[in-house]
Amino acid sequence: MPAKINLALRVGRPRDDGYHPLATVYQAVSLFDEVVASPLDGVIDCDVSGEGADLTGPPQDNLAVRAATLLRARFGTRRLGAQLSIRKQIPVAGGMAGGSADAAGALLACSVLWDLDTGPDDLAAVAADVGSDVPFVLMGGSAVGTGRGERLLPALSRGTFHWVLVMADAGLSTPAVFHRFDDLDLGRTGLLEPPTDVMDALAAADPAALGAALSNDLQEAAFSLAPHLKRTLQAGMDAGALGGVVSGSGPTVALLAANESSAVDLSVRLSSAGVGRLVRRVAGPVPGARLIST
Ligand code: C5P
């Protein structure tokens, strides 16, 4: 399952249920977590390896376990169980929907393991109840998200965009960033719509236009909790990025390059400048959750 970047993220004031209304443009990028589901009698458990595995909480709090449990409650029986082995590349608490990717993978893997009578719409409905970003990670590609992020419409996107991701030393909690956003009173009022400049740049396969159009309403709140991110973004621009943005609630910073070789140059410059904890090159859009083997 891929990670996501929010190319644009417009955020309103909190709703009565505490969630924030959004208008966002998502792009799935080539950084993948893998979930292997093996049979287990009546118990749903998980083990995690790879990037940031030590930072994930206990199995009962894992979004993949929660997703599988909800899927079983809706479409299965209590006898069903699974051991979910999660191999992570997507940073934990990085603003790239890593937990959501694992949840999407668990839904797909368990629906096959348990031979459930579920179609894509059923999985998408469970996904929306598990988390705001889970439906997008299941779908992949490029999409406009509204509601709390779970209502999707595919967006027309041509070509491939090349990114350099700078991952930070410590994660940021999504609720904490939304709280800071509220404390700073940054919520938009009125109708939220995704910016047309981002949509036009995607349709035109124009990285320069996309770089100029990247935006994130949560960025100020993320800067306020992690001031060093401002320097990371500036370092990326100084090293030749066409544009940059904090991904979702952060702290991963996504920097856009003109093409693959510019992305190589950019990542080498940032790595040698010692910016962030880890620098990775990815491309997007890529497909959503996929079954690799049964
Ligand atoms: O939907 P999900 O469980 O991934 O959201 C995690 C947290 O992020 C929520 O509990 C909420 O604090 C915040 N959030 C929000 N508005 C959204 C999405 C997430 O306030 N649209």
Side-chain angles (χ1 to χ4, degrees), residues 1-78:
M1 288 68 52
K4 61 87 185 165
I5 298 174
N6 299 85
L7 306 176
L9 180 53
R10 293 183 169 179
V11 185
R13 296 198 166 144
R15 313 187 303 202
D16 289 345
D17 65 0
Y19 280 94
H20 293 70
L22 309 179
T24 188
V25 185
Y26 290 110
Q27 183 175 97
V29 295
S30 59
L31 185 66
F32 300 96
D33 280 3
E34 268 179 41
V35 177
V36 176
S38 327
L40 205 62
D41 230 4
V43 176
I44 298 173
D45 199 359
C46 75
D47 54 273
V48 187
S49 59
E51 168 70 26
D54 50 326
L55 302 173
T56 55
Q60 66 270 22
D61 293 346
N62 193 291
L63 221 50
V65 171
R66 287 187 5 216
T69 306
L70 195 59
L71 182 72
R72 182 179 67 175
R74 298 240 174 112
F75 296 98
T77 64
R78 286 205 62 81

Side-chain angles (χ1 to χ4, degrees), residues 9 11 14-15 17-22 63 66 100 128-134 146-150 173-176 178-179 182 249:
L9 180 53
V11 185
R15 313 187 303 202
D17 65 0
Y19 280 94
H20 293 70
L22 309 179
L63 221 50
R66 287 187 5 216
S100 302
D129 289 337
V130 175
S132 308
D133 291 333
V134 185
T146 54
R148 56 185 171 84
E150 87 289 12
S173 136
T174 301
F178 275 104
H179 279 138
D182 293 338
S249 56

Side-chain angles (χ1 to χ4, degrees), residues 93-170:
M96 301 202 69
S100 302
D102 304 342
L107 292 178
L108 192 59
C110 289
S111 67
V112 174
L113 176 72
W114 297 334
D115 197 19
L116 302 179
D117 186 18
T118 48
D121 289 349
D122 298 319
L123 292 189
V126 179
D129 289 337
V130 175
S132 308
D133 291 333
V134 185
F136 174 68
V137 182
L138 202 53
M139 173 173 138
S142 308
V144 172
T146 54
R148 56 185 171 84
E150 87 289 12
R151 281 199 227 142
L152 300 174
L153 277 178
L156 176 65
S157 182
R158 290 195 174 85
T160 296
F161 294 90
H162 296 273
W163 299 92
V164 174
L165 304 176
V166 182
M167 297 170 191
D169 286 319

Side-chain angles (χ1 to χ4, degrees), residues 67-89:
T69 306
L70 195 59
L71 182 72
R72 182 179 67 175
R74 298 240 174 112
F75 296 98
T77 64
R78 286 205 62 81
R79 277 185 302 106
L80 296 171
Q83 179 69 30
L84 302 169
S85 297
I86 302 169
R87 280 183 230 138
K88 293 202 66 66
Q89 289 193 62

